[in-house]
Amino acid sequence: MTFILEFTKEALADLNALKNDPSKKRILKDVIKTLRLMETNLRHPSLNTHEFHNFKGPNGEKVFEAYAQQKTSGAYRIFWYYGPGKNVISIITITPHP
């Protein structure tokens, strides 16, 4: 199943910050690879997708975490939830591991 990715204002700001910082070129590459995988295969092993229990989506949706990086200090994660429509994933934020 393929998904359409929608980004919150925060997630777009996160992505633009990575694009505009030359020192984050490697992180940006990893994040883009992860986003592409999320569009086509949420069960890909490298994503390590799992529910994130610390908060909910705007309407109480379950929030999930996907790994953009692993085994790296401050590894980046992508937080997301299903919806608002069918085959849509809403990206909440792109951030270093909390």
Side-chain angles (χ1 to χ4, degrees), residues 6-67:
E6 290 188 2
F7 295 81
T8 63
K9 288 180 184 178
E10 181 179 343
L12 282 175
D14 296 337
L15 192 57
N16 285 329
L18 290 173
K19 287 179 181 177
N20 293 326
D21 185 344
S23 70
K24 307 264 181 168
K25 186 176 179 179
R26 177 63 195 186
I27 296 169
L28 177 62
K29 181 180 176 183
D30 294 340
V31 166
I32 289 172
K33 178 181 175 185
T34 300
L35 292 170
R36 287 185 178 143
L37 281 172
M38 290 174 68
E39 287 177 317
T40 58
N41 184 6
L42 280 175
R43 294 178 186 256
H44 192 282
S46 71
L47 295 177
N48 286 314
T49 301
H50 59 275
E51 187 175 352
F52 191 75
H53 298 282
N54 292 0
F55 61 94
K56 300 280 184 195
N59 297 311
E61 299 93 345
K62 290 181 181 180
V63 171
F64 297 87
E65 174 181 16
Y67 289 30

Side-chain angles (χ1 to χ4, degrees), residues 54-84:
N54 292 0
F55 61 94
K56 300 280 184 195
N59 297 311
E61 299 93 345
K62 290 181 181 180
V63 171
F64 297 87
E65 174 181 16
Y67 289 30
Q69 297 177 306
Q70 297 182 36
K71 300 177 184 173
T72 302
S73 177
Y76 268 69
R77 305 290 190 252
I78 298 173
F79 293 90
W80 58 276
Y81 63 90
Y82 289 105

